[in-house]
Amino acid sequence: MPLALLALAVGAFGIGTTEFVMMGLLPDVAADLHVSLPTAGHLVSAYALGVVVGAPLLAAVTARTSRRTVLISLMVLFVAGNALSAFAPGYDSLLAARFLSGLPHGAFFGVGAVVATTMVAPERKARSVSLMFLGLTVANIVGVPVATLMGQHLGWRATFLGVSAIGLAAIAALAALIPHDHAPAPVTGLRGELAALRSLPVWLALGTTVAGFGALFSAYSYVTPMLTDAAGFADGSVTLLLALFGVGATIGNLLGGRLADVSLRGTLFGGLTALAAVLALFPLLMSAGWSAALAVVLLGVAAFVTGSPLQLMVMEKASAAPSLASSANQAAFNLANAGGAWIGGLALAAGFGVTSPALAGAALAVLGLGVAAAAYGVDRGRTPGRGRLVAAHVPHEELAPAE
């Protein structure tokens, strides 16, 4: 695997840290800016909205720009957003800065996935994407806990200054390690990129992402009350248990990358089936401490096994112009975050019990399987006799720098 993937992973580490650290800093931010906790929670939504808006928009407007230049520019925007967050004088300005911080998120992962796959042989495409996503999963193990502790002891503004420093390191790594000849300006332009989104298989792939990761967030958004109220853990133990989720996500991400290089469709179906099974068993697993801890790890493994296959499936279906579709898949991840949390909340509000969001998530995973099966049927209908989906190979001659 090329060393350039490390640069993408560093950027992903910074993005993953700033995305999830706000959850742990909300009480400190609310107290410092004299707003209520629910009002402070809008800072999380502002970032997610930035991802959804920025992912397709920035990928579209940079469609004819060198992907290396795009990646560096997106990370510059990331640093600016986090620096403005650190120096925000009030709540409204922090809200705007968080929206700005979220804008480059989806486009970075979308364009980065395209760049990662052009730097490796066809049989290693999924692993290259999983190594980029490794930065995101490791952020949940190391970056978020460390950044949260920094915010609690040095103030929440110090956290965003620290994240900005990670972004500067990512810029240096991208400039030094991403070769020009692996990031040409695409010949398709904006019109070709937009044409990719008119494809039914692309929308089915995006729908699988929304349903599959909506299943994860339906349960994960309410995992803390499950662990404390159902499994009996003390509040102070939850941080460690959430780090176990990060460990499981890292394992699932690496495993999914390797398996998807063998069978992309098989890995996707297997991961969604495993996710449905784990979530269906959550009420039982939350009955004891050891099994609850195991459930958190298994949830991370089962959910993130599907990450690389989903990203590659979208890219394969839009192989002539993959950047916009790949970035749109990141917007789909964040829609899954919001939608899954909402559906899990409906289950709680209906009085079905503290573990009911996991059962709602299991139903969403089954829905994801159905959408994936529909995509498979469309794929076979368009290419008779094709039993396995593989990522499209970008010929070597297409990797030459654009004149």
Coordinates of all heavy atoms in Angstrom, one line a residue, residues 76-110:
V76 N -7.6 22.9 4.0 CA -7.4 24.3 4.4 C -8.7 24.9 5.0 O -8.8 25.6 6.0 CB -6.9 25.2 3.2 CG1 -7.0 26.7 3.5 CG2 -5.5 24.8 2.9
L77 N -9.8 24.6 4.3 CA -11.2 25.0 4.8 C -11.5 24.4 6.1 O -12.1 25.0 7.0 CB -12.2 24.6 3.7 CG -13.7 25.0 4.0 CD1 -13.8 26.5 4.2 CD2 -14.6 24.5 2.9
F78 N -11.1 23.1 6.3 CA -11.3 22.4 7.6 C -10.5 23.1 8.7 O -11.1 23.4 9.8 CB -10.8 21.0 7.5 CG -10.7 20.2 8.7 CD1 -11.8 19.6 9.3 CD2 -9.5 20.1 9.4 CE1 -11.7 18.9 10.5 CE2 -9.4 19.4 10.6 CZ -10.5 18.8 11.1
V79 N -9.3 23.5 8.5 CA -8.5 24.2 9.5 C -9.1 25.6 9.8 O -9.2 26.0 11.0 CB -7.0 24.4 9.0 CG1 -6.3 25.4 9.9 CG2 -6.3 23.1 8.9
A80 N -9.6 26.3 8.8 CA -10.2 27.6 9.0 C -11.5 27.5 9.8 O -11.7 28.3 10.8 CB -10.6 28.2 7.6
G81 N -12.3 26.5 9.6 CA -13.5 26.3 10.3 C -13.2 26.0 11.8 O -13.9 26.5 12.7
N82 N -12.3 25.1 12.1 CA -11.9 24.8 13.5 C -11.3 26.0 14.2 O -11.5 26.2 15.4 CB -11.1 23.5 13.5 CG -11.9 22.3 13.3 OD1 -12.6 21.8 14.2 ND2 -11.9 21.8 12.1
A83 N -10.4 26.7 13.5 CA -9.8 27.9 14.1 C -10.8 28.9 14.4 O -10.8 29.5 15.5 CB -8.7 28.5 13.2
L84 N -11.8 29.1 13.5 CA -12.9 30.1 13.8 C -13.7 29.6 15.0 O -14.3 30.4 15.8 CB -13.8 30.3 12.6 CG -13.1 31.1 11.4 CD1 -14.0 31.0 10.2 CD2 -12.9 32.5 11.9
S85 N -13.9 28.3 15.1 CA -14.6 27.7 16.3 C -13.9 28.0 17.6 O -14.5 28.4 18.6 CB -14.8 26.2 16.1 OG -15.5 25.8 15.0
A86 N -12.6 27.9 17.5 CA -11.8 28.2 18.8 C -11.9 29.7 19.2 O -11.9 29.9 20.4 CB -10.3 27.8 18.5
F87 N -12.0 30.6 18.2 CA -12.1 32.0 18.6 C -13.5 32.6 18.5 O -13.6 33.8 18.5 CB -11.1 32.8 17.7 CG -9.7 32.4 17.9 CD1 -9.0 31.6 17.0 CD2 -9.0 32.8 19.1 CE1 -7.6 31.2 17.2 CE2 -7.7 32.5 19.3 CZ -7.0 31.7 18.4
A88 N -14.5 31.8 18.4 CA -15.8 32.3 18.2 C -16.2 33.1 19.5 O -16.1 32.6 20.6 CB -16.8 31.1 18.0
P89 N -16.7 34.3 19.3 CA -17.0 35.2 20.4 C -18.3 34.8 21.1 O -18.6 35.2 22.2 CB -17.0 36.6 19.8 CG -17.4 36.4 18.4 CD -16.8 35.1 18.0
G90 N -19.2 34.1 20.4 CA -20.5 33.8 20.9 C -21.1 32.6 20.3 O -20.5 32.0 19.4
Y91 N -22.4 32.3 20.7 CA -23.0 31.0 20.2 C -23.3 31.1 18.7 O -23.0 30.1 18.0 CB -24.3 30.8 21.0 CG -25.2 29.7 20.4 CD1 -24.8 28.4 20.7 CD2 -26.3 30.0 19.6 CE1 -25.6 27.3 20.2 CE2 -27.0 28.9 19.1 CZ -26.7 27.6 19.4 OH -27.4 26.6 18.9
D92 N -23.8 32.2 18.2 CA -24.2 32.3 16.8 C -22.9 32.1 15.9 O -23.0 31.4 14.9 CB -24.9 33.6 16.5 CG -26.2 33.7 17.1 OD1 -26.8 32.6 17.4 OD2 -26.7 34.8 17.3
S93 N -21.8 32.8 16.3 CA -20.6 32.6 15.5 C -20.1 31.2 15.6 O -19.5 30.7 14.6 CB -19.6 33.7 15.9 OG -19.3 33.5 17.3
L94 N -20.2 30.5 16.7 CA -19.7 29.2 16.8 C -20.6 28.3 16.0 O -20.1 27.3 15.3 CB -19.8 28.7 18.3 CG -19.3 27.3 18.6 CD1 -17.9 27.0 18.1 CD2 -19.4 27.0 20.1
L95 N -21.9 28.5 15.9 CA -22.8 27.7 15.1 C -22.4 27.8 13.6 O -22.3 26.8 12.9 CB -24.2 28.3 15.3 CG -25.4 27.4 14.8 CD1 -25.5 26.1 15.6 CD2 -26.7 28.2 14.8
A96 N -22.1 29.1 13.2 CA -21.6 29.2 11.8 C -20.3 28.6 11.5 O -20.1 28.0 10.5 CB -21.5 30.7 11.5
A97 N -19.4 28.6 12.5 CA -18.1 28.0 12.3 C -18.2 26.5 12.3 O -17.4 25.8 11.5 CB -17.2 28.4 13.5
R98 N -19.1 25.9 13.1 CA -19.3 24.5 13.0 C -19.9 24.0 11.7 O -19.5 23.0 11.1 CB -20.2 24.0 14.1 CG -19.6 24.0 15.5 CD -18.4 23.1 15.6 NE -18.9 21.7 15.6 CZ -18.1 20.6 15.5 NH1 -16.8 20.8 15.3 NH2 -18.6 19.4 15.5
F99 N -20.8 24.8 11.1 CA -21.3 24.6 9.8 C -20.1 24.6 8.7 O -20.0 23.7 7.9 CB -22.4 25.6 9.4 CG -22.9 25.4 8.0 CD1 -23.8 24.5 7.7 CD2 -22.4 26.3 7.0 CE1 -24.3 24.4 6.4 CE2 -22.9 26.1 5.7 CZ -23.9 25.2 5.4
L100 N -19.3 25.6 8.9 CA -18.1 25.7 8.0 C -17.2 24.5 8.1 O -16.7 24.0 7.1 CB -17.4 27.0 8.3 CG -16.2 27.3 7.4 CD1 -16.6 27.5 5.9 CD2 -15.5 28.6 7.9
S101 N -17.0 24.1 9.3 CA -16.1 22.9 9.6 C -16.6 21.7 8.9 O -15.9 20.8 8.5 CB -16.0 22.7 11.1 OG -15.4 23.8 11.7
G102 N -18.0 21.5 8.8 CA -18.6 20.3 8.3 C -18.6 20.3 6.7 O -18.6 19.3 6.1
L103 N -18.4 21.5 6.1 CA -18.5 21.6 4.6 C -17.5 20.7 3.9 O -17.8 20.0 3.0 CB -18.3 23.0 4.2 CG -19.5 24.0 4.4 CD1 -19.1 25.4 4.0 CD2 -20.7 23.5 3.6
P104 N -16.2 20.6 4.3 CA -15.2 19.8 3.6 C -15.3 18.3 3.9 O -14.7 17.5 3.2 CB -13.9 20.4 4.0 CG -14.1 21.0 5.4 CD -15.5 21.4 5.4
H105 N -16.0 17.9 5.0 CA -16.0 16.5 5.5 C -16.3 15.5 4.4 O -15.5 14.6 4.0 CB -17.0 16.4 6.6 CG -17.2 15.1 7.2 ND1 -17.1 14.8 8.5 CD2 -17.4 13.9 6.6 CE1 -17.3 13.5 8.7 NE2 -17.5 12.9 7.6
G106 N -17.5 15.6 3.8 CA -17.9 14.6 2.8 C -17.1 14.6 1.6 O -16.8 13.6 1.0
A107 N -16.8 15.8 1.1 CA -16.0 15.9 -0.2 C -14.6 15.4 0.0 O -14.1 14.7 -0.9 CB -15.9 17.4 -0.6
F108 N -14.0 15.5 1.2 CA -12.7 15.0 1.5 C -12.7 13.5 1.4 O -11.9 12.9 0.7 CB -12.2 15.4 2.8 CG -10.8 15.0 3.2 CD1 -9.7 15.7 2.8 CD2 -10.6 13.8 3.8 CE1 -8.4 15.3 3.0 CE2 -9.3 13.3 4.1 CZ -8.2 14.0 3.7
F109 N -13.7 12.9 2.1 CA -13.8 11.4 2.0 C -14.1 10.9 0.6 O -13.6 9.9 0.2 CB -14.8 10.9 3.1 CG -14.2 10.8 4.5 CD1 -14.7 11.7 5.4 CD2 -13.3 9.9 4.8 CE1 -14.2 11.7 6.7 CE2 -12.8 9.9 6.1 CZ -13.2 10.7 7.1
G110 N -15.0 11.6 0.0 CA -15.5 11.2 -1.4 C -14.3 11.3 -2.4 O -14.0 10.3 -3.1

